[in-house]
Amino acid sequence: MPEQRTLIVGRHVVEDDWTLLLEDEAPHSVNGRAIVPLAQWQAAPGDDVAPLLASDTELTPELATQLLGAPLIAIDFPKFTDGRGYSLARLLRERYGYQGQIRAVGDVLIDQLYYMSRCGFDAFWLREDQIVEDALNALDTFSLSYQPGTDTPEPLFRRRMRESA
């Protein structure tokens, strides 16, 4: 049976109505919505099925165009030290204009949430040993960011120059 974990969306803990399925599980084995590996989603996309991108997914323009129709996109972090998912989220938001939910799944730790949110993630499926209250606080770790992100596309020095003009 697929596991359920704590889900944070928009800085709130919410009930997750999506089930993450592995390679050997079929979407019809659950009641409701399922997140499935990319190849499985490509074979049968729909409103109740969403793709799971492995961290080594090559995000080509053709694939990005397909993903624009997905109800949500989950990106796997097989280890917390694997940062390729950050790049996938940022490309989906900035280069390809994906507007739906981008969810971090896998080895997701509270230390990463602030940086993930700056790269375009807006939903976080926490590793089960993480403390929810700490995770919510981690989203507000810093009040200002120097560099641009998907949440603030203008770097701090430009904001300050504009405000002082």
Side-chain angles (χ1 to χ4, degrees):
M1 183 69 187
E3 61 181 308
Q4 294 294 325
R5 293 187 185 183
T6 301
L7 178 65
I8 296 174
V9 178
R11 300 179 186 268
H12 301 288
V13 176
V14 299
E15 187 71 29
D16 192 2
D17 60 348
W18 290 86
T19 303
L20 180 63
L21 299 179
L22 304 175
E23 294 278 344
D24 58 348
E25 298 173 292
H28 57 72
S29 66
V30 297
N31 289 330
R33 303 161 126 188
I35 299 170
V36 299
L38 177 61
Q40 203 171 344
W41 176 79
Q42 286 174 311
D47 291 339
D48 59 347
V49 181
L52 170 65
L53 303 184
S55 62
D56 64 351
T57 300
E58 182 183 350
L59 191 58
T60 64
E62 296 78 20
L63 175 58
T65 300
Q66 288 177 348
L67 291 170
L68 290 176
L72 74 83
I73 298 171
I75 298 176
D76 184 36
F77 284 82
K79 295 186 271 187
F80 75 90
T81 57
D82 187 343
R84 295 174 291 180
Y86 292 90
S87 299
L88 287 171
R90 191 132 187 196
L91 286 169
L92 283 165
R93 292 283 189 221
E94 293 180 340
R95 184 175 294 172
Y96 299 111
Y98 182 74
Q99 297 295 312
Q101 183 186 104
I102 299 179
R103 180 183 295 198
V105 302
D107 199 15
V108 178
L109 306 177
I110 61 173
D111 309 39
Q112 302 166 292
L113 299 187
Y114 175 79
Y115 302 105
M116 287 178 167
S117 69
R118 303 237 38 241
C119 289
F121 288 95
D122 54 3
F124 312 94
W125 198 51
L126 297 178
R127 198 170 78 180
E128 53 197 19
D129 65 343
Q130 301 299 285
I131 299 169
V132 175
E133 293 77 20
D134 291 344
L136 292 169
N137 290 333
L139 288 166
D140 295 318
T141 298
F142 302 104
S143 59
L144 289 174
S145 296
Y146 293 112
Q147 63 280 90
T150 60
D151 56 345
T152 310
E154 190 175 42
L156 183 61
F157 79 91
R158 284 209 175 112
R159 291 185 302 229
R160 286 191 172 161
M161 285 175 52
R162 183 177 27 80
E163 291 167 2
S164 66

